[in-house]
Short mmCIF file of all heavy atoms in Angstrom, two decimals:
data_model
loop_
_atom_site.label_atom_id
_atom_site.label_comp_id
_atom_site.label_asym_id
_atom_site.label_seq_id
_atom_site.Cartn_x
_atom_site.Cartn_y
_atom_site.Cartn_z
N ASN X 1547 62.13 11.65 4.45
CA ASN X 1547 62.12 13.07 3.97
C ASN X 1547 60.92 13.88 4.51
O ASN X 1547 60.72 15.06 4.11
CB ASN X 1547 61.94 13.07 2.39
CG ASN X 1547 62.98 12.32 1.72
OD1 ASN X 1547 64.05 12.04 2.29
ND2 ASN X 1547 62.73 11.74 0.52
N MET X 1548 60.15 13.18 5.34
CA MET X 1548 58.79 13.77 5.68
C MET X 1548 58.81 14.26 7.18
O MET X 1548 59.35 13.57 8.00
CB MET X 1548 57.59 12.80 5.58
CG MET X 1548 57.44 12.16 4.19
SD MET X 1548 56.93 13.46 3.06
CE MET X 1548 55.48 14.15 3.75
N ASP X 1549 58.22 15.34 7.37
CA ASP X 1549 58.01 15.94 8.75
C ASP X 1549 56.50 15.77 8.95
O ASP X 1549 55.70 16.58 8.41
CB ASP X 1549 58.41 17.35 8.93
CG ASP X 1549 58.03 18.03 10.14
OD1 ASP X 1549 57.60 17.27 11.05
OD2 ASP X 1549 57.97 19.22 10.22
N ILE X 1550 56.05 14.73 9.66
CA ILE X 1550 54.62 14.54 9.88
C ILE X 1550 54.25 14.97 11.21
O ILE X 1550 54.87 14.49 12.27
CB ILE X 1550 54.32 12.93 9.69
CG1 ILE X 1550 54.88 12.34 8.46
CG2 ILE X 1550 52.78 12.80 9.91
CD1 ILE X 1550 54.61 10.91 8.29
N GLN X 1551 53.32 15.79 11.34
CA GLN X 1551 52.73 16.38 12.66
C GLN X 1551 51.30 16.03 12.82
O GLN X 1551 50.46 16.27 11.85
CB GLN X 1551 53.03 17.83 12.73
CG GLN X 1551 54.45 18.24 12.52
CD GLN X 1551 54.70 19.81 12.57
OE1 GLN X 1551 53.79 20.49 13.12
NE2 GLN X 1551 55.76 20.28 11.99
N PHE X 1552 51.00 15.58 14.01
CA PHE X 1552 49.54 15.42 14.36
C PHE X 1552 49.21 16.47 15.33
O PHE X 1552 49.89 16.56 16.45
CB PHE X 1552 49.42 14.05 15.06
CG PHE X 1552 48.03 13.63 15.50
CD1 PHE X 1552 47.03 13.87 14.57
CD2 PHE X 1552 47.73 13.05 16.72
CE1 PHE X 1552 45.64 13.47 14.88
CE2 PHE X 1552 46.38 12.76 17.01
CZ PHE X 1552 45.36 13.07 16.18
N HIS X 1553 48.16 17.30 15.00
CA HIS X 1553 47.75 18.48 15.85
C HIS X 1553 46.39 18.06 16.38
O HIS X 1553 45.41 18.14 15.62
CB HIS X 1553 47.83 19.71 15.14
CG HIS X 1553 49.19 20.12 14.93
ND1 HIS X 1553 49.83 21.05 15.79
CD2 HIS X 1553 50.11 19.90 13.96
CE1 HIS X 1553 51.03 21.30 15.31
NE2 HIS X 1553 51.29 20.60 14.20
N ASN X 1554 46.34 17.74 17.67
CA ASN X 1554 45.12 17.29 18.25
C ASN X 1554 44.61 18.25 19.26
O ASN X 1554 45.32 18.64 20.20
CB ASN X 1554 45.45 15.89 18.99
CG ASN X 1554 44.27 15.23 19.72
OD1 ASN X 1554 43.14 15.89 19.70
ND2 ASN X 1554 44.39 14.11 20.10
N ALA X 1555 43.39 18.74 19.13
CA ALA X 1555 42.82 19.74 20.08
C ALA X 1555 42.61 19.14 21.47
O ALA X 1555 42.62 19.79 22.47
CB ALA X 1555 41.47 20.22 19.56
N GLY X 1556 42.56 17.84 21.53
CA GLY X 1556 42.45 17.10 22.80
C GLY X 1556 43.76 16.81 23.44
O GLY X 1556 44.80 17.21 22.94
N ALA X 1557 43.61 16.15 24.60
CA ALA X 1557 44.82 15.94 25.39
C ALA X 1557 45.42 14.52 25.34
O ALA X 1557 46.51 14.28 25.86
CB ALA X 1557 44.50 16.30 26.84
N VAL X 1558 44.67 13.62 24.62
CA VAL X 1558 45.21 12.20 24.62
C VAL X 1558 44.96 11.73 23.11
O VAL X 1558 44.27 12.27 22.34
CB VAL X 1558 44.32 11.31 25.49
CG1 VAL X 1558 44.58 11.68 26.95
CG2 VAL X 1558 42.86 11.38 25.21
N LEU X 1559 45.84 10.77 22.81
CA LEU X 1559 45.87 10.20 21.52
C LEU X 1559 44.58 9.46 21.16
O LEU X 1559 43.97 9.62 20.07
CB LEU X 1559 46.97 9.13 21.34
CG LEU X 1559 47.44 8.69 20.02
CD1 LEU X 1559 47.83 9.82 19.07
CD2 LEU X 1559 48.61 7.72 20.16
N PHE X 1560 43.92 8.75 22.05
CA PHE X 1560 42.73 8.19 21.86
C PHE X 1560 41.89 8.02 23.11
O PHE X 1560 42.53 7.82 24.22
CB PHE X 1560 42.87 6.69 21.23
CG PHE X 1560 41.68 6.12 20.66
CD1 PHE X 1560 41.07 6.56 19.42
CD2 PHE X 1560 40.99 5.06 21.32
CE1 PHE X 1560 39.88 6.00 18.90
CE2 PHE X 1560 39.78 4.54 20.78
CZ PHE X 1560 39.24 5.00 19.54
N GLY X 1561 40.68 8.25 23.16
CA GLY X 1561 39.79 8.35 24.30
C GLY X 1561 39.81 7.12 25.28
O GLY X 1561 39.55 7.25 26.44
N VAL X 1562 39.99 5.91 24.65
CA VAL X 1562 39.98 4.69 25.47
C VAL X 1562 41.50 4.30 25.68
O VAL X 1562 42.15 3.87 24.67
CB VAL X 1562 39.16 3.67 24.81
CG1 VAL X 1562 39.06 2.35 25.61
CG2 VAL X 1562 37.74 4.15 24.48
N PRO X 1563 41.90 4.39 26.91
CA PRO X 1563 43.39 4.19 27.20
C PRO X 1563 43.98 2.83 26.75
O PRO X 1563 45.10 2.66 26.30
CB PRO X 1563 43.44 4.21 28.68
CG PRO X 1563 42.27 4.96 29.18
CD PRO X 1563 41.18 4.69 28.15
N ASP X 1564 43.05 1.82 26.75
CA ASP X 1564 43.49 0.46 26.33
C ASP X 1564 44.21 0.41 24.99
O ASP X 1564 45.01 -0.41 24.67
CB ASP X 1564 42.32 -0.55 26.38
CG ASP X 1564 41.78 -0.72 27.72
OD1 ASP X 1564 41.13 0.27 28.20
OD2 ASP X 1564 41.94 -1.72 28.29
N TYR X 1565 43.71 1.30 24.04
CA TYR X 1565 44.22 1.19 22.67
C TYR X 1565 45.38 2.10 22.44
O TYR X 1565 46.01 2.11 21.37
CB TYR X 1565 43.02 1.64 21.67
CG TYR X 1565 41.87 0.66 21.79
CD1 TYR X 1565 40.77 1.16 22.46
CD2 TYR X 1565 41.95 -0.56 21.43
CE1 TYR X 1565 39.66 0.32 22.54
CE2 TYR X 1565 40.91 -1.43 21.51
CZ TYR X 1565 39.72 -1.03 22.16
OH TYR X 1565 38.64 -1.90 22.25
N VAL X 1566 45.71 3.00 23.42
CA VAL X 1566 46.77 3.95 23.22
C VAL X 1566 48.17 3.38 22.97
O VAL X 1566 48.87 3.79 22.06
CB VAL X 1566 46.77 5.08 24.37
CG1 VAL X 1566 47.96 5.95 24.28
CG2 VAL X 1566 45.47 5.82 24.32
N PRO X 1567 48.57 2.41 23.78
CA PRO X 1567 49.92 1.84 23.50
C PRO X 1567 50.16 1.36 22.09
O PRO X 1567 51.20 1.57 21.43
CB PRO X 1567 50.10 0.66 24.48
CG PRO X 1567 49.11 1.04 25.64
CD PRO X 1567 48.00 1.70 24.92
N ALA X 1568 49.13 0.65 21.50
CA ALA X 1568 49.26 0.12 20.20
C ALA X 1568 49.41 1.32 19.14
O ALA X 1568 50.21 1.22 18.14
CB ALA X 1568 48.03 -0.69 19.84
N LEU X 1569 48.75 2.34 19.45
CA LEU X 1569 48.70 3.55 18.55
C LEU X 1569 50.08 4.22 18.71
O LEU X 1569 50.72 4.69 17.66
CB LEU X 1569 47.58 4.52 18.80
CG LEU X 1569 46.16 3.88 18.57
CD1 LEU X 1569 45.12 4.90 18.97
CD2 LEU X 1569 46.07 3.44 17.11
N GLU X 1570 50.56 4.29 19.97
CA GLU X 1570 51.88 5.06 20.23
C GLU X 1570 53.03 4.30 19.48
O GLU X 1570 53.84 4.97 18.98
CB GLU X 1570 52.07 5.07 21.72
CG GLU X 1570 51.37 6.26 22.40
CD GLU X 1570 51.55 6.25 23.88
OE1 GLU X 1570 51.97 5.15 24.51
OE2 GLU X 1570 51.17 7.26 24.44
N ALA X 1571 52.84 3.02 19.38
CA ALA X 1571 53.94 2.26 18.66
C ALA X 1571 54.04 2.68 17.24
O ALA X 1571 55.08 2.76 16.67
CB ALA X 1571 53.67 0.70 18.77
N TYR X 1572 52.85 2.97 16.63
CA TYR X 1572 52.84 3.37 15.19
C TYR X 1572 53.31 4.86 15.14
O TYR X 1572 53.99 5.20 14.15
CB TYR X 1572 51.51 3.21 14.63
CG TYR X 1572 51.26 1.68 14.14
CD1 TYR X 1572 50.76 0.84 14.98
CD2 TYR X 1572 51.78 1.38 12.94
CE1 TYR X 1572 50.69 -0.51 14.57
CE2 TYR X 1572 51.62 0.02 12.43
CZ TYR X 1572 51.18 -0.88 13.32
OH TYR X 1572 51.08 -2.10 12.92
N ILE X 1573 52.99 5.60 16.10
CA ILE X 1573 53.50 7.06 16.09
C ILE X 1573 55.04 7.02 16.10
O ILE X 1573 55.62 7.78 15.30
CB ILE X 1573 52.96 7.81 17.43
CG1 ILE X 1573 51.48 8.04 17.36
CG2 ILE X 1573 53.76 9.07 17.60
CD1 ILE X 1573 50.94 9.21 16.60
N GLU X 1574 55.51 6.20 16.90
CA GLU X 1574 57.04 6.04 16.97
C GLU X 1574 57.62 5.45 15.66
O GLU X 1574 58.52 5.96 15.09
CB GLU X 1574 57.39 5.16 18.15
CG GLU X 1574 58.89 5.32 18.50
CD GLU X 1574 59.09 4.55 19.81
OE1 GLU X 1574 58.31 4.56 20.72
OE2 GLU X 1574 60.17 4.01 19.88
N LYS X 1575 56.98 4.35 15.19
CA LYS X 1575 57.40 3.78 13.98
C LYS X 1575 57.56 4.77 12.76
O LYS X 1575 58.49 4.72 11.93
CB LYS X 1575 56.48 2.61 13.63
CG LYS X 1575 56.73 1.97 12.29
CD LYS X 1575 55.79 0.78 11.99
CE LYS X 1575 55.90 0.34 10.55
NZ LYS X 1575 54.99 -0.79 10.25
N TYR X 1576 56.47 5.55 12.70
CA TYR X 1576 56.46 6.54 11.51
C TYR X 1576 57.28 7.83 11.82
O TYR X 1576 57.27 8.80 10.97
CB TYR X 1576 55.01 6.87 11.15
CG TYR X 1576 54.25 5.64 10.64
CD1 TYR X 1576 53.02 5.36 11.17
CD2 TYR X 1576 54.68 4.84 9.65
CE1 TYR X 1576 52.22 4.29 10.66
CE2 TYR X 1576 54.01 3.81 9.14
CZ TYR X 1576 52.66 3.42 9.68
OH TYR X 1576 52.02 2.40 9.33
N GLY X 1577 57.72 7.97 13.01
CA GLY X 1577 58.39 9.31 13.39
C GLY X 1577 57.47 10.49 13.41
O GLY X 1577 57.84 11.60 13.07
N ILE X 1578 56.18 10.28 13.83
CA ILE X 1578 55.23 11.38 13.81
C ILE X 1578 55.49 12.20 15.09
O ILE X 1578 55.68 11.60 16.12
CB ILE X 1578 53.80 10.76 13.79
CG1 ILE X 1578 53.54 10.06 12.47
CG2 ILE X 1578 52.72 11.85 14.10
CD1 ILE X 1578 52.27 9.22 12.49
N ASP X 1579 55.36 13.58 14.90
CA ASP X 1579 55.46 14.42 15.99
C ASP X 1579 54.02 14.76 16.64
O ASP X 1579 53.27 15.46 15.83
CB ASP X 1579 56.11 15.74 15.42
CG ASP X 1579 56.14 16.88 16.50
OD1 ASP X 1579 55.90 16.60 17.73
OD2 ASP X 1579 56.38 17.99 16.07
N PRO X 1580 53.72 14.21 17.74
CA PRO X 1580 52.29 14.44 18.22
C PRO X 1580 52.25 15.69 19.02
O PRO X 1580 53.11 15.94 19.90
CB PRO X 1580 52.07 13.18 19.13
CG PRO X 1580 53.36 12.76 19.59
CD PRO X 1580 54.47 13.26 18.59
N ASN X 1581 51.28 16.51 18.71
CA ASN X 1581 51.08 17.82 19.42
C ASN X 1581 49.64 17.71 20.08
O ASN X 1581 48.67 17.62 19.30
CB ASN X 1581 51.13 18.98 18.48
CG ASN X 1581 52.53 19.09 17.87
OD1 ASN X 1581 53.31 19.83 18.41
ND2 ASN X 1581 52.82 18.31 16.86
N PHE X 1582 49.53 17.91 21.37
CA PHE X 1582 48.27 17.89 22.02
C PHE X 1582 47.76 19.25 22.45
O PHE X 1582 48.62 20.17 22.58
CB PHE X 1582 48.31 16.88 23.22
CG PHE X 1582 48.61 15.49 22.85
CD1 PHE X 1582 49.81 14.98 22.93
CD2 PHE X 1582 47.58 14.78 22.31
CE1 PHE X 1582 50.12 13.63 22.51
CE2 PHE X 1582 47.78 13.49 21.83
CZ PHE X 1582 49.20 12.93 22.04
N GLN X 1583 46.46 19.40 22.62
CA GLN X 1583 45.91 20.76 22.81
C GLN X 1583 46.30 21.72 21.89
O GLN X 1583 46.58 22.91 22.25
CB GLN X 1583 46.13 21.11 24.35
CG GLN X 1583 45.30 20.25 25.17
CD GLN X 1583 45.65 20.26 26.57
OE1 GLN X 1583 46.82 20.38 27.02
NE2 GLN X 1583 44.73 20.13 27.56
N SER X 1584 46.47 21.28 20.63
CA SER X 1584 46.81 22.14 19.59
C SER X 1584 45.77 22.13 18.45
O SER X 1584 45.60 21.21 17.81
CB SER X 1584 48.16 21.64 18.99
OG SER X 1584 48.66 22.40 17.86
N ASN X 1585 45.00 23.21 18.39
CA ASN X 1585 43.78 23.29 17.72
C ASN X 1585 43.93 24.15 16.47
O ASN X 1585 44.28 25.30 16.52
CB ASN X 1585 42.66 23.80 18.66
CG ASN X 1585 41.26 23.76 18.13
OD1 ASN X 1585 41.05 22.92 17.24
ND2 ASN X 1585 40.37 24.56 18.63
N LEU X 1586 43.58 23.48 15.28
CA LEU X 1586 43.69 24.27 14.05
C LEU X 1586 42.60 25.32 14.01
O LEU X 1586 41.46 25.14 14.21
CB LEU X 1586 43.40 23.27 12.91
CG LEU X 1586 43.42 23.93 11.44
CD1 LEU X 1586 44.70 24.52 11.05
CD2 LEU X 1586 43.00 22.86 10.43
N ILE X 1587 43.04 26.64 13.87
CA ILE X 1587 42.08 27.65 13.87
C ILE X 1587 42.04 28.52 12.52
O ILE X 1587 41.06 29.15 12.28
CB ILE X 1587 42.23 28.70 14.99
CG1 ILE X 1587 43.67 29.31 14.97
CG2 ILE X 1587 41.97 28.02 16.40
CD1 ILE X 1587 43.75 30.59 15.88
N ALA X 1588 43.07 28.28 11.66
CA ALA X 1588 43.02 29.12 10.46
C ALA X 1588 43.91 28.43 9.43
O ALA X 1588 44.93 27.80 9.81
CB ALA X 1588 43.51 30.53 10.67
N VAL X 1589 43.53 28.64 8.17
CA VAL X 1589 44.32 28.03 7.09
C VAL X 1589 44.47 29.11 5.96
O VAL X 1589 43.45 29.76 5.59
CB VAL X 1589 43.58 26.78 6.42
CG1 VAL X 1589 44.39 26.33 5.25
CG2 VAL X 1589 43.40 25.75 7.49
N ASN X 1590 45.62 29.28 5.44
CA ASN X 1590 45.82 30.11 4.16
C ASN X 1590 46.31 29.12 3.10
O ASN X 1590 47.50 28.74 3.15
CB ASN X 1590 46.91 31.13 4.49
CG ASN X 1590 47.09 32.23 3.38
OD1 ASN X 1590 46.85 31.76 2.20
ND2 ASN X 1590 47.49 33.36 3.66
N GLY X 1591 45.41 28.78 2.27
CA GLY X 1591 45.69 27.77 1.23
C GLY X 1591 46.87 28.16 0.35
O GLY X 1591 47.83 27.48 0.23
N PRO X 1592 46.60 29.36 -0.42
CA PRO X 1592 47.68 29.81 -1.32
C PRO X 1592 49.05 29.96 -0.70
O PRO X 1592 50.10 29.60 -1.33
CB PRO X 1592 47.20 31.14 -1.84
CG PRO X 1592 45.66 31.12 -1.69
CD PRO X 1592 45.50 30.22 -0.38
N ALA X 1593 49.16 30.41 0.52
CA ALA X 1593 50.51 30.48 1.21
C ALA X 1593 50.94 29.18 1.81
O ALA X 1593 52.07 29.10 2.35
CB ALA X 1593 50.36 31.61 2.37
N ARG X 1594 49.97 28.22 1.88
CA ARG X 1594 50.30 26.89 2.59
C ARG X 1594 50.73 27.08 4.01
O ARG X 1594 51.73 26.55 4.42
CB ARG X 1594 51.37 26.14 1.68
CG ARG X 1594 50.77 25.75 0.38
CD ARG X 1594 51.73 24.79 -0.36
NE ARG X 1594 51.25 24.32 -1.70
CZ ARG X 1594 50.98 23.13 -2.01
NH1 ARG X 1594 51.38 22.13 -1.16
NH2 ARG X 1594 50.55 22.82 -3.19
N LYS X 1595 49.92 27.79 4.69
CA LYS X 1595 50.25 28.03 6.18
C LYS X 1595 48.95 27.75 6.95
O LYS X 1595 47.83 28.01 6.58
CB LYS X 1595 50.73 29.46 6.43
CG LYS X 1595 52.13 29.81 5.86
CD LYS X 1595 52.38 31.18 6.22
CE LYS X 1595 53.59 31.81 5.51
NZ LYS X 1595 54.83 31.10 5.68
N ALA X 1596 49.20 27.07 8.20
CA ALA X 1596 48.14 26.78 9.01
C ALA X 1596 48.50 27.40 10.40
O ALA X 1596 49.66 27.39 10.86
CB ALA X 1596 47.93 25.26 9.22
N VAL X 1597 47.39 27.90 11.17
CA VAL X 1597 47.63 28.36 12.42
C VAL X 1597 46.95 27.49 13.43
O VAL X 1597 45.78 27.06 13.35
CB VAL X 1597 47.03 29.80 12.62
CG1 VAL X 1597 47.24 30.37 13.99
CG2 VAL X 1597 47.64 30.69 11.54
N PHE X 1598 47.75 27.15 14.48
CA PHE X 1598 47.22 26.25 15.50
C PHE X 1598 47.26 27.01 16.87
O PHE X 1598 48.24 27.75 17.21
CB PHE X 1598 48.11 24.98 15.72
CG PHE X 1598 47.97 24.08 14.47
CD1 PHE X 1598 48.86 24.13 13.35
CD2 PHE X 1598 47.00 23.15 14.39
CE1 PHE X 1598 48.79 23.44 12.33
CE2 PHE X 1598 46.91 22.23 13.27
CZ PHE X 1598 47.76 22.48 12.28
N ARG X 1599 46.14 26.91 17.57
CA ARG X 1599 46.19 27.56 18.89
C ARG X 1599 46.55 26.46 19.93
O ARG X 1599 45.78 25.46 20.07
CB ARG X 1599 44.82 28.12 19.28
CG ARG X 1599 44.78 28.91 20.54
CD ARG X 1599 43.64 29.92 20.49
NE ARG X 1599 43.94 31.03 19.62
CZ ARG X 1599 43.02 31.84 19.15
NH1 ARG X 1599 41.80 31.80 19.69
NH2 ARG X 1599 43.28 32.89 18.34
N THR X 1600 47.62 26.70 20.67
CA THR X 1600 48.04 25.68 21.71
C THR X 1600 47.71 26.20 23.05
O THR X 1600 47.92 27.41 23.40
CB THR X 1600 49.60 25.45 21.60
OG1 THR X 1600 49.85 25.25 20.20
CG2 THR X 1600 50.06 24.23 22.46
N THR X 1601 47.08 25.44 23.83
CA THR X 1601 46.64 25.85 25.22
C THR X 1601 47.44 24.94 26.19
O THR X 1601 47.38 23.76 26.13
CB THR X 1601 45.20 25.66 25.46
OG1 THR X 1601 44.49 26.24 24.30
CG2 THR X 1601 44.66 26.30 26.67
#
Side-chain angles (χ1 to χ4, degrees):
N1547 306 333
M1548 300 295 305
D1549 170 15
I1550 307 175
Q1551 300 179 24
F1552 182 46
H1553 288 267
N1554 181 353
V1558 292
L1559 195 53
F1560 195 72
V1562 182
D1564 297 70
Y1565 301 108
V1566 171
L1569 299 176
E1570 280 174 343
Y1572 277 91
I1573 292 275
E1574 198 171 321
K1575 172 178 171 180
Y1576 297 131
I1578 293 167
D1579 172 17
N1581 297 266
F1582 296 101
Q1583 288 165 323
S1584 178
N1585 191 19
L1586 178 64
I1587 57 162
V1589 177
N1590 183 334
R1594 291 185 179 240
K1595 288 183 194 299
V1597 180
F1598 294 90
R1599 183 158 292 165
T1600 311
T1601 311

